Amino acid sequence: MGSVMSYFDVFRRHEKQESERRVRANDRPFNLSYHYANNAIKTSKYNIITFLPLNLFEQFRRLANAYFLFLIILELIPQVSTLFWYAMAVPLILVLSITGVKDANDDINRHKCDRQVNNRTVDILMDGELRSEKWMNVQVGDIIKLESNEFVTADLLLLSSSEPLNLVYVETAELDGETNLKVKQALTVTGGLADSIEALASFKGEVRCEPPNNRLDKFKGTLTVDGQMYSLDNDKIFGFLATMCTILTIGNAIWEFREGSVFTVFLPREPGINTTLSSFLTFWSYVILLNAVVPISLYVSVELIRLVNSFFIDWDRKLYYSKKDTPAQARTTTLNEELGQIKYIFSDKTGTLTQNIMTFNKCSINGKAYGDLYDFSGQRVQITEKTEKVDFSWNQLADPSFVFHDHSLLETVRQGNPEVQAFFRLLALCHTVMPEEKKEGELNYQAQSPDEGALVTAARNFGFVFRSRTPETITIMEMDRKVVYELLAVLDFNNVRKRMSVIVRSPEGKLILFCKGADTIIYERLHPSSNELMEVTNKHLNEYAGDGLRTLVLAYKDLDESYMKNWSQRHQDASVAMDDREERLHELYEEIEKDLILLGATAVEDKLQDGVPQTIEQLTKADIKIWMLTGDKQETAENIGYSCNMLREGMTDVFTMSANTAEGVREELQSARRKMCPEAADKPTVIEARGGLFWLQKTKTVQDEKVDGEYGLIINGHSLAFALEKNLELELLRTACMCQTVICCRVTPLQKAQVVQLVKKYKQAVTLAIGDGANDVSMIKASHIGVGISGQEGMQAVLSSDFSFAQFPYLQRLLLVHGRWSYIRMCKFLEYFFFKNFAFTLVQFWYAFFCGFSAQTLYDDWFIICYNMIYTALPIIGLGIFDRDVNSHWSFQYPQLYVPGQLNMFFSKKGFATCIMHSAYCSLILFFIPWAAIHDTVRDDGKDIADYHSFAVLVQTCLLFVMTAQVRYRMRKEPLPAPAPHRPRPRRVSTRRSSYAFSHSQGYGDLVTSEKFLLKQPVRSRPSLFTQTDSSLAENQPQHFRTITEESEEPQSP
């Protein structure tokens, strides 16, 4: 890349509220007067002195650790202690030590990273010469020199570059997860400084900008040079324990009152100790003695099982995508069992259900449709791989991978049809694509949006080749003739405008505005002369919608020279404004984008990922409700819904909500609800309850209502905005949850999160959100479990997720196999763990009735320590890691096996009560049978056969034998349900219309006008994770989407 001269500013949080920041180049005294933070980076939490106190403080903030510390303190009180202090201290110290070592290792790594970053060197311009300094010593306002492939450890303003056009290419993976190179360009006023040390040393520019904020994609500021201003952008178990202790304390008080006085002759009380105080101290003694109800080993065992189950997900070869060398990844270890309890799935569409690889499929130009083939009788011919393709060999710059079958379109272009040529000219000019041409004629387009790349490639093959761009020009080849257009303005896309425009001047001096966007948006801005053409184009859009294609409408407008001059001046003033910049620009865009002339429409295909319909059908059989939340048009989303089997022709009804008023939305929701459940009450029943530790957590639940039949619900963005209001949200929730499938169209990222939060708040069900783009991050974070797909839209979704993989169909195996196994394993583990500890504790409880409620322990001290850590730990941990009631193939064959997890049937309140009663029964057997066997027994010589210690050893041995036998009992197999009847997938023909606005992020037009470009980094090859090439996995053949009976049975664990 060469050297880069940069102007530096570090953003840090100020103690005082700031409204503006001022920074001057080459003026350290001025910048130091503002007391800006230094450039040293610190991410570590501890140092040698603070590690022990801070780490212990962090660990004892956890309730479990604080509870066990409290028990140890009680054990140190002689009047209360019933065990040796080490009986509790050894397990706690072990847990604290393991956690402390892990935290120390993590913090040591953070220290190493901090030192590595802070000690990197960079050249700083000081006193007219370059000096090598550490990044931590760089000051605000310093001018620095960067070389190619150097790390950037500060916020920089580019002054000049050694590259042509003052370009630099920056990777921002550590900020936003994107590995593609972002193109930045210096302002023209500073680009002339080049690498002249004298010129840079005398540079006296001043930046005024907004204070630090969390908006990475936006920056408001101005650079003043020589007086000219330029714009810059850019729980209840404790209650059970307390109850037992209270009962025994009352027993102690009664015994002391009735019988205790007899024993005071042999064992006098300490001075000041009476019956009441003795009972009080006995309560705390029993708290210590019976603490095994919730042993500290429980937390260690649970985390170990979760960790290993997470590794199983990482290691699953059937979740590995060989085409991109992408394995599945469990990014958290605390949610595995919740994967087996999912009731609602919220999914994005583009890139999640579809491949997000766009191909130019059809188009409508000046009222004529292109792309379909017809036979001599006028019937449409199905296009297959054997269908003859259009020959683009005449075009030396054509993309060889581009495929099109309608020869008539190419013939019309080459005949010089003005409308068709204007159509492709618009596609070649109106975009934010960046070209890369390493060799003459070898063009590679880098597009932020796959749609834009497909459209520019189509124009390229039909003779309108986009070759290069500068901040002021766009160069294209029009039918082998080089034409340079002057670029006057880019009217950028955003989620409100749903369109983008460019204003160019042709070589003949003609001013033209080219615009493309969603059909409804463009139609509102057309000149009346285009009404007739609009009706014809509408019919073509309806046909494209039936095929599930994504559409854009194209239009243009000739501009007057005098008007454009006035508009450009106002545009410049708005661009450098510090206040209301976006609002002022929006008004200018609205003003000029009127009276457009319609050219036609494009249709781009985004194919479904392989196996998506089968996956959704399987998840539906598992009684999982799937909601699709997408920013696409209603018709496009609806057709994709049918294509991927979310909506089915066999459904009883599919309701569409499209009202434009709150009252209209209410009436539509109520009408749909009454049709699905006529006997339902008008007002929803909200059940309020309390839960959590000490019942401090308030919950509200709206119960599910029974519905006969399968229903679907489609609601568009403006209707959803009304439905999410406080007075309508419960109406939306009731109606939507009665439906098997819900599709929300034209929704914003915020609305996606609001929908998820609404279901979480009132349904008390486990939710999962899955997406692949930055617009899905809010939805992923709002749900209980977030799944990111590493697709075409970067890594933002993956970085925010709990689990990630490469393809949506892998969700089937993640839930039905890994999720279900993890849930059942954890339930069996917890059931057994509480069973063995309740039995262990209740034996001690029964013994209290035979020792005068004196809090004397029955067990040996070391037996108490080893019972949970050694004797009963390994069998149940093994079961929690390796148990499989059925293998993966049966899980796919019978998706109904997933339903018990949604209802939490394996560890419910009823199951917990059964576990307590079972353990109470076993404890009675374990205590009273040994007691009866040796009670009042004597030898021939009249001496006792057994003493207290012999009885304790006998009870301990019986306890261990029974607990170990219970592990084998809990590994029994569950019966399989009857198979669900096969439901053939119906074919569907639709005339619903589809339309699509841009999918790329807002701001890429600004990147062009502010001399900033986009260039993708070459893909780095990685060694394949699996080298075997003769397996279906290596060839990326479908794994679990085949009929189960066609696959061989996996060996089943005993």
Side-chain angles (χ1 to χ4, degrees), residues 115-131:
R115 285 195 297 268
Q116 182 182 7
V117 173
N118 289 329
N119 292 328
R120 288 173 182 157
T121 59
V122 66
D123 291 334
I124 302 178
L125 181 62
M126 297 181 63
D127 300 327
E129 62 180 7
L130 289 174
R131 299 179 184 177

mmCIF file with all atom_site columns, all heavy atoms in Angstrom, residues 115-131:
data_model
loop_
_atom_site.group_PDB
_atom_site.id
_atom_site.type_symbol
_atom_site.label_atom_id
_atom_site.label_alt_id
_atom_site.label_comp_id
_atom_site.label_asym_id
_atom_site.label_entity_id
_atom_site.label_seq_id
_atom_site.pdbx_PDB_ins_code
_atom_site.Cartn_x
_atom_site.Cartn_y
_atom_site.Cartn_z
_atom_site.occupancy
_atom_site.B_iso_or_equiv
_atom_site.pdbx_formal_charge
_atom_site.auth_seq_id
_atom_site.auth_comp_id
_atom_site.auth_asym_id
_atom_site.auth_atom_id
_atom_site.pdbx_PDB_model_num
ATOM 1   N N   . ARG A 1 115 ? 0.119  -5.340 26.284 1.00 0.00 ? 115 ARG A N   1
ATOM 2   C CA  . ARG A 1 115 ? 1.516  -4.963 26.061 1.00 0.00 ? 115 ARG A CA  1
ATOM 3   C C   . ARG A 1 115 ? 1.880  -5.037 24.586 1.00 0.00 ? 115 ARG A C   1
ATOM 4   O O   . ARG A 1 115 ? 2.623  -4.189 24.069 1.00 0.00 ? 115 ARG A O   1
ATOM 5   C CB  . ARG A 1 115 ? 2.431  -5.877 26.884 1.00 0.00 ? 115 ARG A CB  1
ATOM 6   C CG  . ARG A 1 115 ? 2.446  -5.575 28.367 1.00 0.00 ? 115 ARG A CG  1
ATOM 7   C CD  . ARG A 1 115 ? 3.621  -6.244 29.053 1.00 0.00 ? 115 ARG A CD  1
ATOM 8   N NE  . ARG A 1 115 ? 3.536  -7.693 28.952 1.00 0.00 ? 115 ARG A NE  1
ATOM 9   C CZ  . ARG A 1 115 ? 2.955  -8.481 29.865 1.00 0.00 ? 115 ARG A CZ  1
ATOM 10  N NH1 . ARG A 1 115 ? 2.378  -7.931 30.926 1.00 0.00 ? 115 ARG A NH1 1
ATOM 11  N NH2 . ARG A 1 115 ? 2.940  -9.789 29.715 1.00 0.00 ? 115 ARG A NH2 1
ATOM 12  N N   . GLN A 1 116 ? 1.359  -6.045 23.919 1.00 0.00 ? 116 GLN A N   1
ATOM 13  C CA  . GLN A 1 116 ? 1.663  -6.179 22.496 1.00 0.00 ? 116 GLN A CA  1
ATOM 14  C C   . GLN A 1 116 ? 1.139  -4.989 21.711 1.00 0.00 ? 116 GLN A C   1
ATOM 15  O O   . GLN A 1 116 ? 1.831  -4.453 20.836 1.00 0.00 ? 116 GLN A O   1
ATOM 16  C CB  . GLN A 1 116 ? 1.053  -7.479 21.958 1.00 0.00 ? 116 GLN A CB  1
ATOM 17  C CG  . GLN A 1 116 ? 1.344  -7.735 20.487 1.00 0.00 ? 116 GLN A CG  1
ATOM 18  C CD  . GLN A 1 116 ? 0.686  -9.015 20.000 1.00 0.00 ? 116 GLN A CD  1
ATOM 19  O OE1 . GLN A 1 116 ? -0.083 -9.645 20.716 1.00 0.00 ? 116 GLN A OE1 1
ATOM 20  N NE2 . GLN A 1 116 ? 0.977  -9.395 18.780 1.00 0.00 ? 116 GLN A NE2 1
ATOM 21  N N   . VAL A 1 117 ? -0.076 -4.561 22.020 1.00 0.00 ? 117 VAL A N   1
ATOM 22  C CA  . VAL A 1 117 ? -0.672 -3.431 21.304 1.00 0.00 ? 117 VAL A CA  1
ATOM 23  C C   . VAL A 1 117 ? 0.005  -2.125 21.684 1.00 0.00 ? 117 VAL A C   1
ATOM 24  O O   . VAL A 1 117 ? 0.369  -1.310 20.822 1.00 0.00 ? 117 VAL A O   1
ATOM 25  C CB  . VAL A 1 117 ? -2.188 -3.363 21.594 1.00 0.00 ? 117 VAL A CB  1
ATOM 26  C CG1 . VAL A 1 117 ? -2.781 -2.090 21.003 1.00 0.00 ? 117 VAL A CG1 1
ATOM 27  C CG2 . VAL A 1 117 ? -2.897 -4.588 21.023 1.00 0.00 ? 117 VAL A CG2 1
ATOM 28  N N   . ASN A 1 118 ? 0.207  -1.901 22.973 1.00 0.00 ? 118 ASN A N   1
ATOM 29  C CA  . ASN A 1 118 ? 0.765  -0.630 23.429 1.00 0.00 ? 118 ASN A CA  1
ATOM 30  C C   . ASN A 1 118 ? 2.217  -0.424 23.008 1.00 0.00 ? 118 ASN A C   1
ATOM 31  O O   . ASN A 1 118 ? 2.665  0.711  22.826 1.00 0.00 ? 118 ASN A O   1
ATOM 32  C CB  . ASN A 1 118 ? 0.664  -0.530 24.955 1.00 0.00 ? 118 ASN A CB  1
ATOM 33  C CG  . ASN A 1 118 ? -0.759 -0.332 25.433 1.00 0.00 ? 118 ASN A CG  1
ATOM 34  O OD1 . ASN A 1 118 ? -1.571 0.276  24.735 1.00 0.00 ? 118 ASN A OD1 1
ATOM 35  N ND2 . ASN A 1 118 ? -1.077 -0.856 26.594 1.00 0.00 ? 118 ASN A ND2 1
ATOM 36  N N   . ASN A 1 119 ? 2.958  -1.521 22.864 1.00 0.00 ? 119 ASN A N   1
ATOM 37  C CA  . ASN A 1 119 ? 4.388  -1.412 22.545 1.00 0.00 ? 119 ASN A CA  1
ATOM 38  C C   . ASN A 1 119 ? 4.686  -1.473 21.061 1.00 0.00 ? 119 ASN A C   1
ATOM 39  O O   . ASN A 1 119 ? 5.865  -1.453 20.668 1.00 0.00 ? 119 ASN A O   1
ATOM 40  C CB  . ASN A 1 119 ? 5.170  -2.506 23.272 1.00 0.00 ? 119 ASN A CB  1
ATOM 41  C CG  . ASN A 1 119 ? 5.188  -2.298 24.785 1.00 0.00 ? 119 ASN A CG  1
ATOM 42  O OD1 . ASN A 1 119 ? 5.170  -1.167 25.256 1.00 0.00 ? 119 ASN A OD1 1
ATOM 43  N ND2 . ASN A 1 119 ? 5.209  -3.391 25.523 1.00 0.00 ? 119 ASN A ND2 1
ATOM 44  N N   . ARG A 1 120 ? 3.673  -1.564 20.220 1.00 0.00 ? 120 ARG A N   1
ATOM 45  C CA  . ARG A 1 120 ? 3.929  -1.464 18.785 1.00 0.00 ? 120 ARG A CA  1
ATOM 46  C C   . ARG A 1 120 ? 4.458  -0.072 18.471 1.00 0.00 ? 120 ARG A C   1
ATOM 47  O O   . ARG A 1 120 ? 4.045  0.918  19.080 1.00 0.00 ? 120 ARG A O   1
ATOM 48  C CB  . ARG A 1 120 ? 2.643  -1.720 17.993 1.00 0.00 ? 120 ARG A CB  1
ATOM 49  C CG  . ARG A 1 120 ? 2.192  -3.170 17.998 1.00 0.00 ? 120 ARG A CG  1
ATOM 50  C CD  . ARG A 1 120 ? 0.829  -3.291 17.353 1.00 0.00 ? 120 ARG A CD  1
ATOM 51  N NE  . ARG A 1 120 ? 0.345  -4.666 17.372 1.00 0.00 ? 120 ARG A NE  1
ATOM 52  C CZ  . ARG A 1 120 ? -0.928 -5.005 17.290 1.00 0.00 ? 120 ARG A CZ  1
ATOM 53  N NH1 . ARG A 1 120 ? -1.863 -4.072 17.167 1.00 0.00 ? 120 ARG A NH1 1
ATOM 54  N NH2 . ARG A 1 120 ? -1.284 -6.273 17.295 1.00 0.00 ? 120 ARG A NH2 1
ATOM 55  N N   . THR A 1 121 ? 5.346  -0.002 17.519 1.00 0.00 ? 121 THR A N   1
ATOM 56  C CA  . THR A 1 121 ? 5.971  1.274  17.195 1.00 0.00 ? 121 THR A CA  1
ATOM 57  C C   . THR A 1 121 ? 5.348  1.884  15.947 1.00 0.00 ? 121 THR A C   1
ATOM 58  O O   . THR A 1 121 ? 4.822  1.180  15.081 1.00 0.00 ? 121 THR A O   1
ATOM 59  C CB  . THR A 1 121 ? 7.480  1.102  16.986 1.00 0.00 ? 121 THR A CB  1
ATOM 60  O OG1 . THR A 1 121 ? 7.703  0.164  15.929 1.00 0.00 ? 121 THR A OG1 1
ATOM 61  C CG2 . THR A 1 121 ? 8.144  0.612  18.259 1.00 0.00 ? 121 THR A CG2 1
ATOM 62  N N   . VAL A 1 122 ? 5.433  3.200  15.879 1.00 0.00 ? 122 VAL A N   1
ATOM 63  C CA  . VAL A 1 122 ? 4.912  3.946  14.745 1.00 0.00 ? 122 VAL A CA  1
ATOM 64  C C   . VAL A 1 122 ? 5.761  5.198  14.572 1.00 0.00 ? 122 VAL A C   1
ATOM 65  O O   . VAL A 1 122 ? 6.334  5.708  15.544 1.00 0.00 ? 122 VAL A O   1
ATOM 66  C CB  . VAL A 1 122 ? 3.427  4.300  14.963 1.00 0.00 ? 122 VAL A CB  1
ATOM 67  C CG1 . VAL A 1 122 ? 3.276  5.268  16.127 1.00 0.00 ? 122 VAL A CG1 1
ATOM 68  C CG2 . VAL A 1 122 ? 2.796  4.878  13.699 1.00 0.00 ? 122 VAL A CG2 1
ATOM 69  N N   . ASP A 1 123 ? 5.855  5.688  13.347 1.00 0.00 ? 123 ASP A N   1
ATOM 70  C CA  . ASP A 1 123 ? 6.618  6.910  13.080 1.00 0.00 ? 123 ASP A CA  1
ATOM 71  C C   . ASP A 1 123 ? 5.740  8.133  13.312 1.00 0.00 ? 123 ASP A C   1
ATOM 72  O O   . ASP A 1 123 ? 4.652  8.254  12.725 1.00 0.00 ? 123 ASP A O   1
ATOM 73  C CB  . ASP A 1 123 ? 7.137  6.910  11.640 1.00 0.00 ? 123 ASP A CB  1
ATOM 74  C CG  . ASP A 1 123 ? 8.217  5.870  11.420 1.00 0.00 ? 123 ASP A CG  1
ATOM 75  O OD1 . ASP A 1 123 ? 8.889  5.510  12.400 1.00 0.00 ? 123 ASP A OD1 1
ATOM 76  O OD2 . ASP A 1 123 ? 8.365  5.403  10.266 1.00 0.00 ? 123 ASP A OD2 1
ATOM 77  N N   . ILE A 1 124 ? 6.236  9.059  14.184 1.00 0.00 ? 124 ILE A N   1
ATOM 78  C CA  . ILE A 1 124 ? 5.509  10.283 14.510 1.00 0.00 ? 124 ILE A CA  1
ATOM 79  C C   . ILE A 1 124 ? 6.307  11.477 13.997 1.00 0.00 ? 124 ILE A C   1
ATOM 80  O O   . ILE A 1 124 ? 7.532  11.534 14.136 1.00 0.00 ? 124 ILE A O   1
ATOM 81  C CB  . ILE A 1 124 ? 5.286  10.425 16.032 1.00 0.00 ? 124 ILE A CB  1
ATOM 82  C CG1 . ILE A 1 124 ? 4.531  9.218  16.578 1.00 0.00 ? 124 ILE A CG1 1
ATOM 83  C CG2 . ILE A 1 124 ? 4.525  11.700 16.355 1.00 0.00 ? 124 ILE A CG2 1
ATOM 84  C CD1 . ILE A 1 124 ? 4.315  9.278  18.080 1.00 0.00 ? 124 ILE A CD1 1
ATOM 85  N N   . LEU A 1 125 ? 5.594  12.450 13.417 1.00 0.00 ? 125 LEU A N   1
ATOM 86  C CA  . LEU A 1 125 ? 6.237  13.675 12.928 1.00 0.00 ? 125 LEU A CA  1
ATOM 87  C C   . LEU A 1 125 ? 6.338  14.665 14.092 1.00 0.00 ? 125 LEU A C   1
ATOM 88  O O   . LEU A 1 125 ? 5.329  15.188 14.561 1.00 0.00 ? 125 LEU A O   1
ATOM 89  C CB  . LEU A 1 125 ? 5.422  14.257 11.775 1.00 0.00 ? 125 LEU A CB  1
ATOM 90  C CG  . LEU A 1 125 ? 5.990  15.530 11.131 1.00 0.00 ? 125 LEU A CG  1
ATOM 91  C CD1 . LEU A 1 125 ? 7.360  15.245 10.521 1.00 0.00 ? 125 LEU A CD1 1
ATOM 92  C CD2 . LEU A 1 125 ? 5.032  16.047 10.060 1.00 0.00 ? 125 LEU A CD2 1
ATOM 93  N N   . MET A 1 126 ? 7.582  14.903 14.553 1.00 0.00 ? 126 MET A N   1
ATOM 94  C CA  . MET A 1 126 ? 7.817  15.815 15.670 1.00 0.00 ? 126 MET A CA  1
ATOM 95  C C   . MET A 1 126 ? 9.000  16.713 15.342 1.00 0.00 ? 126 MET A C   1
ATOM 96  O O   . MET A 1 126 ? 10.064 16.235 14.921 1.00 0.00 ? 126 MET A O   1
ATOM 97  C CB  . MET A 1 126 ? 8.098  15.034 16.972 1.00 0.00 ? 126 MET A CB  1
ATOM 98  C CG  . MET A 1 126 ? 6.939  14.165 17.437 1.00 0.00 ? 126 MET A CG  1
ATOM 99  S SD  . MET A 1 126 ? 7.316  13.291 18.982 1.00 0.00 ? 126 MET A SD  1
ATOM 100 C CE  . MET A 1 126 ? 7.522  14.686 20.098 1.00 0.00 ? 126 MET A CE  1
ATOM 101 N N   . ASP A 1 127 ? 8.806  18.007 15.508 1.00 0.00 ? 127 ASP A N   1
ATOM 102 C CA  . ASP A 1 127 ? 9.875  18.997 15.276 1.00 0.00 ? 127 ASP A CA  1
ATOM 103 C C   . ASP A 1 127 ? 10.472 18.854 13.888 1.00 0.00 ? 127 ASP A C   1
ATOM 104 O O   . ASP A 1 127 ? 11.691 18.949 13.684 1.00 0.00 ? 127 ASP A O   1
ATOM 105 C CB  . ASP A 1 127 ? 10.969 18.864 16.340 1.00 0.00 ? 127 ASP A CB  1
ATOM 106 C CG  . ASP A 1 127 ? 10.440 19.081 17.749 1.00 0.00 ? 127 ASP A CG  1
ATOM 107 O OD1 . ASP A 1 127 ? 9.506  19.896 17.891 1.00 0.00 ? 127 ASP A OD1 1
ATOM 108 O OD2 . ASP A 1 127 ? 10.936 18.422 18.681 1.00 0.00 ? 127 ASP A OD2 1
ATOM 109 N N   . GLY A 1 128 ? 9.612  18.590 12.919 1.00 0.00 ? 128 GLY A N   1
ATOM 110 C CA  . GLY A 1 128 ? 10.053 18.556 11.532 1.00 0.00 ? 128 GLY A CA  1
ATOM 111 C C   . GLY A 1 128 ? 10.761 17.289 11.110 1.00 0.00 ? 128 GLY A C   1
ATOM 112 O O   . GLY A 1 128 ? 11.346 17.253 10.014 1.00 0.00 ? 128 GLY A O   1
ATOM 113 N N   . GLU A 1 129 ? 10.719 16.221 11.935 1.00 0.00 ? 129 GLU A N   1
ATOM 114 C CA  . GLU A 1 129 ? 11.353 14.961 11.562 1.00 0.00 ? 129 GLU A CA  1
ATOM 115 C C   . GLU A 1 129 ? 10.534 13.783 12.099 1.00 0.00 ? 129 GLU A C   1
ATOM 116 O O   . GLU A 1 129 ? 9.775  13.920 13.058 1.00 0.00 ? 129 GLU A O   1
ATOM 117 C CB  . GLU A 1 129 ? 12.783 14.890 12.091 1.00 0.00 ? 129 GLU A CB  1
ATOM 118 C CG  . GLU A 1 129 ? 12.879 14.943 13.609 1.00 0.00 ? 129 GLU A CG  1
ATOM 119 C CD  . GLU A 1 129 ? 14.319 14.859 14.088 1.00 0.00 ? 129 GLU A CD  1
ATOM 120 O OE1 . GLU A 1 129 ? 15.222 14.902 13.239 1.00 0.00 ? 129 GLU A OE1 1
ATOM 121 O OE2 . GLU A 1 129 ? 14.526 14.744 15.308 1.00 0.00 ? 129 GLU A OE2 1
ATOM 122 N N   . LEU A 1 130 ? 10.705 12.621 11.444 1.00 0.00 ? 130 LEU A N   1
ATOM 123 C CA  . LEU A 1 130 ? 9.990  11.414 11.857 1.00 0.00 ? 130 LEU A CA  1
ATOM 124 C C   . LEU A 1 130 ? 10.755 10.710 12.968 1.00 0.00 ? 130 LEU A C   1
ATOM 125 O O   . LEU A 1 130 ? 11.963 10.492 12.868 1.00 0.00 ? 130 LEU A O   1
ATOM 126 C CB  . LEU A 1 130 ? 9.816  10.462 10.667 1.00 0.00 ? 130 LEU A CB  1
ATOM 127 C CG  . LEU A 1 130 ? 8.821  10.899 9.596  1.00 0.00 ? 130 LEU A CG  1
ATOM 128 C CD1 . LEU A 1 130 ? 8.854  9.944  8.417  1.00 0.00 ? 130 LEU A CD1 1
ATOM 129 C CD2 . LEU A 1 130 ? 7.406  10.991 10.159 1.00 0.00 ? 130 LEU A CD2 1
ATOM 130 N N   . ARG A 1 131 ? 10.045 10.350 14.036 1.00 0.00 ? 131 ARG A N   1
ATOM 131 C CA  . ARG A 1 131 ? 10.631 9.642  15.156 1.00 0.00 ? 131 ARG A CA  1
ATOM 132 C C   . ARG A 1 131 ? 9.815  8.380  15.441 1.00 0.00 ? 131 ARG A C   1
ATOM 133 O O   . ARG A 1 131 ? 8.594  8.393  15.366 1.00 0.00 ? 131 ARG A O   1
ATOM 134 C CB  . ARG A 1 131 ? 10.662 10.524 16.409 1.00 0.00 ? 131 ARG A CB  1
ATOM 135 C CG  . ARG A 1 131 ? 11.485 11.783 16.268 1.00 0.00 ? 131 ARG A CG  1
ATOM 136 C CD  . ARG A 1 131 ? 11.426 12.603 17.551 1.00 0.00 ? 131 ARG A CD  1
ATOM 137 N NE  . ARG A 1 131 ? 12.135 13.864 17.414 1.00 0.00 ? 131 ARG A NE  1
ATOM 138 C CZ  . ARG A 1 131 ? 12.183 14.797 18.367 1.00 0.00 ? 131 ARG A CZ  1
ATOM 139 N NH1 . ARG A 1 131 ? 11.564 14.578 19.535 1.00 0.00 ? 131 ARG A NH1 1
ATOM 140 N NH2 . ARG A 1 131 ? 12.846 15.933 18.170 1.00 0.00 ? 131 ARG A NH2 1
#
